[in-house]
Amino acid sequence: MKVRRSELVRTAQIFLNNAIEVLEVACEGDSNADAYMVAQLKILASSDHGYLSRDLNLDELAERYENTEPHTSIDSSIEVDADWYNELNERI
C-alpha cells in the first residue's frame, strides 16, 4: 500500500513526543539527562523547541515531503506493508 511520507513522519512525531513526555518525568532533577537527551529529542521532534539549532527536525522533514515536486529523486509516497501500517495506526 502507498502512504505519504509526510504522514509517516507525523506519526513518528507523535511517538517521539510521547517518549519525550515520559522521559521528562523519568529524568526530573537530572540536569545532565535533560540537557543531553531530552533537549536533543525536543530539537528533533519539532521546530518549536526553543533551542538554538540548525538540526533537521520532523516538522521540516514532513514539510519537505509535503512539498516534493514530481520528477524528483524522492517520491512523496512510499510503498509499505499494509499489516505493518495498520499495526502502527493501532498504537496511536
Side-chain angles (χ1 to χ4, degrees), residues 59-91:
D59 282 335
E60 293 166 350
L61 186 60
E63 187 175 316
R64 177 191 300 177
Y65 291 148
E66 288 165 359
N67 296 324
T68 300
E69 296 289 328
H71 313 296
T72 61
S73 61
I74 299 176
D75 191 357
S76 64
S77 295
I78 189 168
E79 192 71 35
V80 298
D81 179 74
D83 291 335
W84 173 83
Y85 183 74
N86 291 332
E87 286 178 26
L88 181 67
N89 281 325
E90 287 176 11
R91 294 181 196 166

Side-chain angles (χ1 to χ4, degrees), residues 45-56:
S46 73
S47 57
D48 113 24
H49 48 69
Y51 298 97
L52 183 60
S53 173
R54 291 183 172 198
D55 293 347
L56 179 65

